[in-house]
Amino acid sequence: AAMIFPFSSNHYMKFYWGTDEILLPVYQSMEEAFQKHPEVSVVVNFASFRSVYNSVMEMLEKHSQQIKTIAIIAEGVPESQTRKFNKVAMEKGVGIIGPATVGGIKPGCFRIGNTGGMLDNIVMCKLYRPGSVAYVSRSGGLSNELNNMISRNSDGVYEGVAIGGDRYPGSRFLDHLLRYNDNPSVHMLVLLGEVGGVDEYQICDALKSGRISKPLVAWCIGTCASKFSFEVQFGHAGALAKADMETSAAKNKALKEAGALVPENFIEFGNLIKSTYDDLVASGTLVPAPEVEAPKI
């Protein structure tokens, strides 16, 4: 609908919408942008880690009745600030994706942030129409790999979210998996966790209790950390095991024991997605999404 850029006066900028050129208004103030676009309910915040806290808090304190989802792209947001705006967002009923995320995508609908890459990749991964598989990951780069893997081994992605690699993401794996499980258009779930944190154990509890009832293919990356004689900090701020239960090996074991479909290694991840999808089709549980003509690039 519009952009907010506080460092220049109001103007218009040219963008591509598919293959068409469009003009988007750019506003200097957040107040004016929200007043002139009351239909807007999603904000993608590209502010740096230095200023993102103030802009998020302004949205939450002044516009939470209008805004329902905020995606925070910045990495390196101070953890104390992240916990503060996460708390306020929860109190006001606003969903947070991130920090340190590329966003999310709902094929055939829209995307938040840069998920899916450029148009040629969107077409290759069939992200122009919904499939039957929904995923959640921490990593943005690996969420794009999931788009690729799922499109090659099933009828494609229905929805996918990268919750972000920081220690305190605004939403959890379980939040999204429960949404997917309750959506009749989603027939299969995919989780790509990683070393560090304990969020995956919430999913184990949901599987054991039956709250998650649809097939879940899961894997936690970072199993190579056990090969080192010292603690390994991977690329994400949250990708560090501070206890044995935070290791990828321990979480993969727990997920498998809880009833998730867990491969022997990441190389087999795509094959397990394919075999699970094929079983659902063969049983009649899942009817493959119809193919539509790919949009021209």
Side-chain angles (χ1 to χ4, degrees):
M3 296 176 64
I4 301 166
F5 188 68
F7 306 109
S8 70
S9 57
N10 291 2
H11 60 282
Y12 285 88
M13 288 191 69
K14 187 184 294 185
F15 292 93
Y16 279 105
W17 179 261
T19 56
D20 298 326
E21 284 187 327
I22 62 170
L23 291 175
L24 277 186
V26 181
Y27 299 98
Q28 190 172 24
S29 78
M30 197 179 295
E31 188 74 31
E32 183 180 4
F34 287 128
Q35 283 181 355
K36 291 187 175 179
H37 298 274
E39 76 283 2
V40 167
S41 61
V42 176
V43 175
V44 184
N45 194 330
F46 287 97
S48 75
F49 70 90
R50 297 178 182 86
S51 60
V52 71
Y53 174 77
N54 292 332
S55 58
V56 170
M57 290 302 290
E58 182 179 348
M59 290 177 211
L60 292 173
E61 290 169 354
K62 297 182 179 180
H63 308 287
S64 61
Q65 291 184 337
Q66 178 178 343
I67 298 303
K68 297 306 174 190
T69 302
I70 304 172
I72 301 169
I73 308 300
E75 288 189 71
V77 181
E79 291 179 354
S80 60
Q81 294 182 355
T82 300
R83 296 176 75 172
K84 285 179 184 177
F85 62 60
N86 282 348
K87 181 176 184 293
V88 175
M90 184 177 295
E91 292 170 352
K92 293 183 177 291
V94 177
I96 299 285
I97 301 174
T101 182
V102 298
I105 191 164
K106 189 170 183 180
C109 185
F110 79 132
R111 64 174 171 170
I112 301 172
N114 298 324
T115 303
M118 296 177 67
L119 280 175
D120 55 346
N121 193 67
I122 288 173
V123 170
M124 185 187 76
C125 295
K126 301 179 181 179
L127 297 174
Y128 50 85
R129 57 101 176 116
S132 304
V133 183
Y135 73 80
V136 61
S137 73
R138 270 191 175 275
S139 168
L142 283 170
S143 73
N144 284 328
E145 179 59 22
L146 282 179
N147 290 329
N148 176 48
M149 293 175 71
I150 291 171
S151 71
R152 289 173 180 269
N153 294 291
S154 72
D155 65 352
V157 175
Y158 179 83
E159 185 180 334
V161 174
I163 64 171
D166 281 359
R167 195 85 181 161
Y168 301 103
S171 59
R172 304 288 181 178
F173 290 137
L174 187 62
D175 299 331
H176 299 284
L177 289 175
L178 292 181
R179 286 195 303 109
Y180 300 155
N181 190 77
D182 295 342
N183 189 328
S185 297
V186 175
H187 295 276
M188 179 177 154
L189 314 177
V190 173
L191 164 71
L192 189 60
E194 66 180 32
V195 60
V198 294
D199 288 359
E200 290 84 353
Y201 292 101
Q202 293 179 327
I203 300 167
C204 294
D205 293 338
L207 286 165
K208 292 175 182 177
S209 68
R211 180 63 182 86
I212 293 179
S213 56
K214 293 177 180 176
L216 170 64
V217 179
W219 180 254
C220 295
I221 58 173
T223 52
C224 65
S226 62
K227 304 300 180 184
F228 295 88
S229 58
F230 50 89
E231 290 185 351
V232 180
Q233 171 71 62
F234 289 91
H236 293 154
L240 172 66
K242 296 185 176 180
D244 287 343
M245 68 182 302
E246 294 190 18
T247 63
S248 295
K251 291 193 282 189
N252 284 330
K253 182 174 182 289
L255 284 164
K256 190 169 186 176
E257 290 174 349
L261 302 165
V262 180
E264 292 298 317
N265 51 58
F266 185 70
I267 295 173
E268 296 298 323
F269 196 53
N271 295 334
L272 187 54
I273 291 173
K274 178 170 174 45
S275 62
T276 305
Y277 172 82
D278 288 344
D279 288 345
L280 290 171
V281 173
S283 67
T285 304
L286 188 160
V287 177
E291 289 295 340
V292 298
E293 183 180 357
K296 295 180 181 179
I297 300 176

